[in-house]
Amino acid sequence: MRYSNILLLRNIYKIELVRRLSNNMDSTKRVAICQMTSVADKSTNLQVVSQLISDAAKEKVQMLFFPEACDYICDNKKDVIGQAEPILTGSIVNRYRELAAEHNVWLSMGGVHEKDESEPTKMFNTHVIIDDKGDIVQTYRKLHLFDVEIPEKNVRLKESDFSNAGKHIVTPVETPVGRIGMAICYDMRFPELSTSLSIMGAEILTFPSAFTQATGAAHWHVLLRSRAIENQCYVIAAAQTGEHNAKRRSYGHGICIDPWGEVLVDCGETSPTYKIAEISPRKLSDVRRNMPVFQHRRRDVYSLYTLSLRKNLLPAHDETPRTTEKPTDCTTDEECNVFGHVRVPDSCVFFKSKLTYAFVNLRCVIPGHVLVAPIRMAERNKDLTDEEAEDFYRTVRIVQKLMEKVHDTDSCTVTIQDGPDAGQTVKHLHCHIMPRKKGDFIENDLIYLELAKHDQFKKGHPAKPPRSIEEMRAEAELLRSELDKMLK
C-alpha cells in the first residue's frame, strides 16, 4: 500500500473517531429518580419498587435510583436488625436482581439492610448497584453514621446503635449513564468523600436518602447543590418521604442536579413517584472546561489522599470465587526466585546482589514499572536485618537510576506498600519503581490508585491483562544490557 494511502486511511479513521466521540458526547442518558415511603413490611415496599421499575422502564430509562432503606423502615432496633439479610442470599436483593434483568435496566438500590454475619446485634447500610443482566456490579457500605442526641428536645437517633460503618471509599462505577460515585444520605455532609470521588473520575454523585423532616427543610437543597457545584458532577439523591411510622417522617424531594448546580427534577413530597432526568455528557464537559477548578487546585499547598479505597466487590458480595494467579510463568528448565507465594524466573531478573534482586513486572501501571525485593522472604520493612536493609536500599537507588536512564526521564515514583492495610498483596517486601513523565496521569496522585488496583481481580478477571513471559524476558534482557553499560 502506498504511503499516501496509509495517511488517507489514518485521516479517515481520525475523522470517524471524532464523529463517534462527538455523537456520544451529544447523546443524553435517561435516568429515573424514585421516591417512596417505606414501611416495616418488606413485601409492601417490594410491590412499590416493582411498580416503579415497571412504569419507568416503559419510558426507556437506562437506570433507576432508589432511596436509602428502600427495603424497609421499622420503629425499633430489634426489628431493624431482625429483618436484615445477607446481600447474596437474601430474598429482597435477589428479587431486585430479577427485576433488573426482567426490565433490562440498571438499578441503584440506595441502602438495604445487610446482615452482619460476624456481629448478630449489628447490620450494614449497603448501597447496591445491579446491572441490566441482574448481576451485582458494586456495593458500598455507608461510611458516616447519623448519630444525634439532644436530651432537652427528647431527640435521639443513633445509627451506631444498630449499624456498623463501612471501611472504604469505593472507586467510581462504570454504568451506561456515566461513572457513578457511591454514597448514602448523611455522607453528603462530608465534602471530602465527594471530592475524592470526583478526583477519581466520578461524573454522577449519588446520595440515596431518608433525610429527616427538620434537617431536610434546613439543609437538603443547599448541601446537594453545593456537592454538584464544587465537584462539577451530576448529583442524584433518591429520597424517602412522608410518615413511615409514629416515630419517623422523611423530607422527600428526591432530586437531580446538574454540574452547574441547576435543579433538573424535584419529586416534592409525592409518594410513590419517579421523575425522569437527562444526563448530558456535553453539559458535564462544558462546565468542566469553562470553569477548570480541577486544574486550579493548589497541590503544592494542600492535597487530598484516600487512605482506604476499594475497587472490587467485597468477598461477601462476590459470587465469583477469586483465584490466586501466579504473576510469572516459571518453567522447569530454569531457576526461579521466591517472591511471596509465587516464583520469578531467573530470565525475568535483571539485577541481583548478595541480598537483593530486581525483576520486571507482570502487570505494569506504567511502562518501566519494576520491582525490587530482598532475596530472603522478609514480609515487612521492619523484618530486614541491618545488612539486608543497606543492600536493599542501595539496590533501589541503582534500579531507579537505571529506569530513569532507559526511559529518558528525571522523575520516579518509588513506593513500598508495607502491610495489608497499605495495599500489600504479596507477603514479601518489595519496592515499586515507576519512571514518571509529565502528563502520564491527569491527576498525578492517581498513580497510587492504579497501583492499589493493578493486581486485583473482579469476577475472576484481572483489571489489566498479564504480559507474556516472552515480553518480560525481553525487557529483562534489555535492562541487564543497559545496566552493564551504566555500571561501567
Side-chain angles (χ1 to χ4, degrees):
M1 183 181 292
R2 293 175 59 87
Y3 183 66
S4 58
N5 290 339
I6 294 175
L7 289 177
L8 177 61
L9 287 174
R10 285 181 178 174
N11 288 333
I12 291 172
Y13 171 77
K14 289 180 180 178
I15 292 170
E16 176 63 16
L17 181 61
V18 170
R19 183 187 68 79
R20 290 184 181 181
L21 289 173
S22 178
N23 288 343
N24 185 60
M25 191 71 73
D26 290 333
S27 62
T28 57
K29 319 294 183 182
R30 289 170 64 82
V31 300
I33 295 86
C34 300
Q35 187 158 283
M36 60 190 293
T37 308
S38 289
V39 294
D41 182 61
K42 289 196 281 190
S43 61
T44 298
N45 301 322
L46 182 58
Q47 289 177 11
V48 173
V49 168
S50 180
Q51 190 62 55
L52 289 171
I53 294 173
S54 176
D55 292 345
K58 294 173 185 175
E59 298 196 49
K60 307 300 182 184
V61 300
Q62 294 162 282
M63 189 164 186
L64 291 87
F65 294 80
F66 282 89
E68 179 184 28
C70 50
D71 51 353
Y72 62 88
I73 291 180
C74 298
D75 63 359
N76 65 88
K77 174 182 174 180
K78 179 182 177 182
D79 288 344
V80 169
I81 296 171
Q83 294 198 55
E85 301 177 354
I87 293 297
L88 285 182
T89 57
S91 60
I92 289 294
V93 172
N94 280 336
R95 183 63 185 128
Y96 294 157
R97 297 173 66 180
E98 291 171 357
L99 288 167
E102 178 184 345
H103 294 283
N104 194 35
V105 292
W106 281 60
L107 299 177
S108 161
M109 309 311 297
V112 299
H113 298 77
E114 178 194 355
K115 183 177 181 180
D116 187 345
E117 303 280 11
S118 64
E119 192 172 354
T121 60
K122 293 288 184 74
M123 41 143 286
F124 293 104
N125 187 340
T126 304
H127 183 169
V128 183
I129 290 182
I130 302 168
D131 68 15
D132 55 357
K133 302 297 188 295
D135 292 329
I136 295 174
V137 175
Q138 190 54 279
T139 58
Y140 162 81
R141 288 170 170 169
K142 189 176 184 179
L143 280 178
H144 303 98
L145 302 183
F146 185 61
D147 278 8
V148 174
E149 190 168 13
I150 311 173
E152 61 271 21
K153 293 187 178 181
N154 197 30
V155 172
R156 189 181 194 280
L157 179 54
K158 300 191 72 171
E159 281 189 282
S160 61
D161 284 346
F162 52 83
S163 184
N164 281 324
K167 296 181 179 180
H168 310 91
I169 292 176
V170 175
T171 59
V173 182
E174 292 284 353
T175 77
V177 301
R179 287 190 296 274
I180 291 177
M182 301 175 75
I184 299 174
C185 197
Y186 190 50
D187 287 332
M188 74 176 71
R189 291 187 181 271
F190 302 87
E192 305 95 321
L193 172 58
S194 298
T195 304
S196 294
L197 291 168
S198 65
I199 286 174
M200 288 185 280
E203 297 165 327
I204 302 168
L205 300 175
T206 54
F207 299 98
S209 299
F211 238 60
T212 66
Q213 183 70 33
T215 55
H219 299 150
W220 176 258
H221 289 87
V222 68
L223 280 172
L224 292 171
R225 291 190 68 205
S226 297
R227 297 296 86 85
I229 294 166
E230 68 197 10
N231 295 293
Q232 299 182 325
C233 288
Y234 281 89
V235 163
I236 293 176
Q240 294 282 350
T241 191
E243 188 172 302
H244 308 285
N245 51 57
K247 297 180 180 179
R248 185 164 177 181
R249 182 178 182 85
S250 292
Y251 178 66
H253 293 274
I255 203 167
C256 180
I257 304 167
D258 76 9
W260 191 244
E262 179 184 352
V263 176
L264 301 181
V265 300
D266 187 326
C267 295
E269 297 180 5
T270 306
S271 174
T273 190
Y274 67 88
K275 288 203 172 182
I276 295 175
E278 293 190 340
I279 305 298
S280 168
R282 175 72 67 184
K283 175 76 172 183
L284 188 78
S285 175
D286 288 348
V287 169
R288 292 181 175 183
R289 183 184 68 250
N290 296 334
M291 187 74 71
V293 295
F294 288 91
Q295 297 175 31
H296 296 162
R297 280 201 169 97
R298 289 294 304 276
R299 294 177 182 83
D300 58 324
V301 177
Y302 58 84
S303 189
L304 183 69
Y305 292 92
T306 300
L307 301 178
S308 185
L309 194 65
R310 176 167 64 81
K311 178 178 183 291
N312 300 305
L313 282 168
L314 291 166
H317 304 158
D318 193 350
E319 291 181 302
T320 306
R322 295 173 187 263
T323 58
T324 301
E325 179 186 9
K326 290 186 177 181
T328 50
D329 181 11
C330 194
T331 58
T332 56
D333 61 346
E334 63 175 306
E335 292 296 322
C336 291
N337 304 270
V338 175
F339 179 53
H341 59 280
V342 294
R343 301 292 179 268
V344 178
D346 260 354
S347 59
C348 294
V349 174
F350 60 89
F351 176 82
K352 185 178 284 190
S353 66
K354 177 183 176 183
L355 300 171
T356 312
Y357 69 112
F359 53 100
V360 297
N361 205 354
L362 180 70
R363 293 186 178 87
C364 298
V365 171
I366 54 177
H369 178 183
V370 297
L371 303 174
V372 174
I375 292 174
R376 182 176 69 87
M377 199 168 74
E379 183 175 342
R380 299 283 308 282
N381 195 21
K382 65 182 181 181
D383 298 328
L384 295 178
T385 66
D386 289 345
E387 185 182 10
E388 285 174 326
E390 184 179 347
D391 192 79
F392 180 78
Y393 286 101
R394 184 188 301 114
T395 301
V396 167
R397 294 181 64 188
I398 292 172
V399 173
Q400 178 179 352
K401 183 178 179 180
L402 170 67
M403 300 316 294
E404 289 184 7
K405 176 178 180 293
V406 170
H407 289 270
D408 191 25
T409 181
D410 59 2
S411 298
C412 250
T413 292
V414 180
T415 186
I416 296 173
Q417 295 164 295
D418 195 21
D421 293 336
Q424 184 181 22
T425 56
V426 177
K427 292 184 177 182
H428 189 149
L429 175 69
H430 55 284
C431 180
H432 298 264
I433 298 178
M434 297 171 280
R436 302 295 303 279
K437 293 185 177 181
K438 185 176 181 180
D440 53 7
F441 282 84
I442 295 174
E443 300 283 348
N444 185 64
D445 286 353
L446 286 180
I447 192 168
Y448 298 108
L449 169 61
E450 289 301 315
L451 181 62
K453 71 183 184 182
H454 84 290
D455 61 348
Q456 299 297 311
F457 293 81
K458 182 176 182 180
K459 295 188 177 180
H461 298 284
K464 289 178 180 287
R467 299 196 295 165
S468 68
I469 189 69
E470 290 77 19
E471 182 181 358
M472 294 167 68
R473 284 170 175 160
E475 182 186 16
E477 184 177 357
L478 170 66
L479 294 177
R480 282 193 293 271
S481 174
E482 292 297 322
L483 184 60
D484 285 343
K485 296 177 186 176
M486 187 183 80
L487 294 178
K488 288 178 181 178

